[in-house]
Amino acid sequence: MSRVRRVAVIAAPPTSMFILATPEMLFGKVEIDGLPGYETVICTPEPGPVATTGGLSLHVPHGLDAVDTADTVILAGSGSYTDPDPRVLDALRRAGAAGKRIASICTGSFALAAAGLLDGRTATTYWAYRRLLAERHPNIDIQDDVLFVQDGPVLTSSGYAAGIDLCLHIIRTDHGAAVANTVARHALVAPVRPGGQAQFTLTPLPPERGVSFARTRAWAMEHLDEPLTLTDLARHAGVSVRTLSRRFHAETGLSPLQWLLHQRIERAKELLETTSLPMDQVARSSGLGTADSLRRHLLRRAGITPSAHRASFSRLGPGGPAVPGLTPAAAARAE
């Protein structure tokens, strides 16, 4: 039976209700063998009413002692990010000394930096504050224009919505891609995205003649096992390859081929976790071609071999489901 992992979310006033709700919503949807995968506790330096950036007040009954019993500590961004509470810094330092996994969402990175947890590490923050963070803490390797960064046990994300990607990344690290993608579907948010995907710091171009590639992406997800090309995607979308490439990046932050590769690797992970298919069939069903190609891509992306990933995350014995999530035609080809 899996142990429930404890997550402490620190609310430093004035805090964001959106950020506080994100970990609770996503971790709360994780079930492993019918049991909760996480216990999420929101805590604050002074238990009781906590001011929010929206002018409301939230009642938070737990103090920072919740950090000491947590496996993962997440610091929510705060309107007082330039002047973090010393009690929060002390709690973060205790967590760091204990080797806990520590994460920040949005401007929470400033408190992690002030606590010395980002010294010599790679990190990120919301794009509008990157220069200020760099000026205050020049010993941090600040990554521009990424959703989130993990450096050892410390994770930092960019804006509010990137906190969703960070939490899904934590779930995937703990329980595998299949569980993380199931949570994403239940929460009606985008599937797990790579941390290196660009922040949406520029205003996306307006759709030309009503063109959007959501339907083309959905169609591609149903045909990942096929040798899709830019021409195939452009033909489905009814645009030129040039227009596809330009506008696809505006919508997703990735090129069409980068997006396809990411989805294929995620599909391969799910198949490794939820089926007992041989490696060659996993590779073919996910569109990665051969077992050697599957191994190469997974090693490059996740630093783990397919067999090791299956051993770490699979909950199936022999004879598990064949190929969940594939169209009947794709399942037949896999068999």
Side-chain angles (χ1 to χ4, degrees):
M1 183 178 298
S2 300
R3 181 179 68 86
V4 175
R5 291 174 165 86
R6 294 178 177 172
V7 179
V9 183
I10 300 177
T15 190
S16 160
M17 293 186 291
F18 181 97
I19 294 180
L20 290 182
T22 295
E24 189 280 329
M25 174 185 71
L26 296 175
F27 292 125
K29 292 187 180 299
V30 176
E31 286 192 3
I32 306 299
D33 299 329
L35 299 174
Y38 296 92
E39 175 188 343
T40 304
V41 175
I42 297 175
C43 58
T44 191
E46 288 285 346
V50 174
T52 71
T53 54
L56 300 178
S57 179
L58 296 177
H59 181 75
V60 179
H62 302 286
L64 294 177
D65 54 345
V67 170
D68 299 324
T69 59
D71 303 296
T72 299
V73 179
I74 299 178
L75 180 61
S78 168
S80 60
Y81 62 92
T82 57
D83 186 26
D85 190 312
R87 294 169 293 181
V88 171
L89 299 184
D90 287 342
L92 291 172
R93 292 186 183 109
R94 292 198 309 271
K100 299 178 185 292
R101 180 169 54 194
I102 303 174
S104 68
I105 299 177
C106 198
T107 55
S109 54
F110 280 81
L112 265 61
L117 299 179
L118 298 182
D119 290 347
R121 294 187 182 276
T122 301
T124 192
T125 192
Y126 182 53
W127 66 270
Y129 302 115
R130 285 198 303 259
R131 178 175 297 179
L132 179 60
L133 183 63
E135 291 173 351
R136 291 188 168 215
H137 303 278
N139 56 343
I140 301 174
D141 179 12
I142 299 177
Q143 296 293 297
D144 293 341
D145 206 21
V146 295
L147 293 176
F148 63 86
V149 173
Q150 177 166 4
D151 189 331
V154 181
L155 302 93
T156 51
S157 74
S158 53
Y160 284 15
I164 296 173
D165 299 286
L166 181 142
C167 290
L168 288 174
H169 171 74
I170 290 174
I171 294 170
R172 179 175 60 180
T173 299
D174 291 342
H175 299 293
V179 172
N181 287 331
T182 295
V183 169
R185 286 191 290 268
H186 285 171
L188 297 177
V189 298
V192 179
R193 298 188 292 179
Q197 180 167 325
Q199 296 179 30
F200 296 101
T201 58
L202 300 177
T203 303
L205 298 172
E208 295 176 355
R209 298 184 302 278
V211 173
S212 171
F213 297 123
R215 291 182 61 186
T216 296
R217 291 195 297 273
W219 172 80
M221 290 292 292
E222 294 294 320
H223 297 82
L224 288 179
D225 60 316
E226 300 175 15
L228 298 178
T229 65
L230 287 175
T231 300
D232 294 328
L233 296 173
R235 182 182 300 114
H236 183 274
V239 298
S240 68
V241 169
R242 182 177 179 180
T243 297
L244 172 82
S245 299
R246 177 169 57 88
R247 300 199 57 78
F248 199 100
H249 190 280
E251 286 191 13
T252 69
L254 296 171
S255 73
L257 295 183
Q258 287 174 328
W259 181 87
L260 270 177
L261 178 59
H262 175 71
Q263 300 303 329
R264 283 169 167 156
I265 292 173
E266 289 301 307
R267 172 63 57 80
K269 287 180 180 179
E270 288 204 51
L271 293 177
L272 289 169
E273 297 164 21
T274 59
T275 78
S276 55
L277 288 175
M279 296 301 173
D280 277 329
Q281 290 187 13
V282 169
R284 288 196 300 271
S285 298
S286 57
L288 293 176
T290 66
D292 286 342
S293 177
L294 167 65
R295 177 184 176 87
R296 183 171 63 255
H297 283 297
L298 202 56
L299 273 172
R300 183 181 303 151
R301 178 65 62 87
I304 191 172
T305 65
S307 57
H309 187 92
R310 173 170 274 170
S312 297
F313 297 113
S314 176
R315 296 181 179 276
L316 293 177
V323 191
L326 294 184
T327 61
R333 286 192 292 273
E335 296 296 336

